[in-house]
Amino acid sequence: MSSDQRAQLEWKGRNIKTVYFIEPFKTIFFDTLPKYLIERRKTSCSHKFLFVNLDHENKGKPYFLASNESLNKSFKRVQKKLGIEKPYTLHSLRHYYGTFCRNYLPLEGGKVGLNTATVQSLMGHSSEESTKGYAIIDKVILKSMMAAANNLLMKNKSDVKKLTEDAINYQLTLAEEKILGIK
C-alpha cells in the first residue's frame, strides 16, 4: 500500500482527526481497550492499524481491508451472543450518534440537542448536507413540539394573521440583535 493510499484511509473523508465519545460508550470503549490490546498483541501485527481481525484465519489483518458485509456479520453475531433481539449494523451506530447528539444530548441550562453544524463537526463531515442525512430531527420530538404549539393555539384562541405578525416581528428582533450585536 502506498503512503497516499494509507493517508486516504486514515480519516476516510472525515474533516477532523479527533473522535468525540458520548457516555456510556466512552467508558465502555476505554474500559475495554486494554483487554483488546492484549489480544491484539498476540497477532504480531507489523502495521500500526489499531483495529484488526482476531479470528484465526485472518488474524492481524486490518479491519479496513474487510468488507462491510463481513464486518456487519461479525457485529451481528456478537449482538446475538449478547441477547440483542434487533441486531444493528455498524453504520446504524453513526445514525444513532448523529440523531442522539442532534436531539437528545443534555446541555447546560436544561436544553437538549446540538445544532447541525456542531454535529457535523463531531461526525467529521466536510459538508452540512452529509450530516443532515444522519442527524434528522426525531419524529417524537416533532410530534411533541406540534402538540405544544397546538395547545398554545387553542389556549390563546389566536387568529392566523396575528400569529403571522408576531412571528415576523420575532424574526425581525432576532435579525436586529444579530446584526447589531444586541442581546
Side-chain angles (χ1 to χ4, degrees), residues 105-113:
L105 190 71
L107 306 173
E108 290 184 8
K111 295 181 180 182
V112 293

Side-chain angles (χ1 to χ4, degrees), residues 4-164:
D4 287 342
Q5 289 172 316
R6 185 174 288 224
Q8 286 177 332
L9 283 172
E10 287 181 7
W11 310 110
K12 290 181 73 176
R14 289 173 46 86
N15 199 31
I16 59 172
K17 296 178 180 182
T18 306
V19 175
Y20 297 93
F21 288 90
I22 54 176
E23 289 294 356
F25 305 109
K26 178 180 179 181
T27 299
I28 293 168
F29 180 83
F30 286 106
D31 285 353
T32 308
L33 185 60
K35 296 171 195 166
Y36 169 75
L37 290 174
I38 290 168
E39 293 301 314
R40 188 192 181 285
R41 278 190 209 108
K42 294 176 186 176
T43 65
S44 302
C45 298
S46 60
H47 55 77
K48 293 183 180 182
F49 290 101
L50 176 60
F51 298 107
V52 299
N53 196 318
L54 299 176
D55 292 341
H56 294 292
E57 63 185 63
N58 293 309
K59 203 168 201 168
K61 186 176 176 182
Y63 266 135
F64 78 85
L65 294 173
S67 69
N68 284 339
E69 182 182 349
S70 173
L71 292 172
N72 279 318
K73 277 183 183 178
S74 297
F75 188 57
K76 287 179 180 183
R77 191 170 50 248
V78 170
Q79 291 175 77
K80 188 175 183 177
K81 284 181 183 178
L82 293 172
I84 298 172
E85 290 181 27
K86 181 188 173 204
Y88 297 93
T89 64
L90 293 167
H91 193 71
S92 67
L93 296 179
R94 277 187 67 74
H95 284 276
Y96 172 82
Y97 181 78
T99 302
F100 182 85
C101 288
R102 175 67 182 89
N103 299 295
Y104 304 107
L105 190 71
L107 306 173
E108 290 184 8
K111 295 181 180 182
V112 293
L114 300 170
N115 64 43
T116 303
T118 303
V119 175
Q120 172 189 346
S121 181
L122 289 174
M123 295 182 76
H125 290 147
S126 56
S127 79
E128 192 172 308
E129 289 305 309
S130 296
T131 306
K132 287 179 181 176
Y134 290 101
I136 56 175
I137 294 179
D138 191 281
K139 291 177 187 176
V140 173
I141 292 172
L142 287 174
K143 187 176 180 179
S144 58
M145 288 170 69
M146 288 305 297
N150 284 330
N151 284 338
L152 286 172
L153 289 171
M154 294 306 290
K155 180 180 174 186
N156 296 329
K157 303 279 190 220
S158 301
D159 66 76
V160 174
K161 184 177 179 185
K162 173 78 170 107
L163 286 172
T164 305

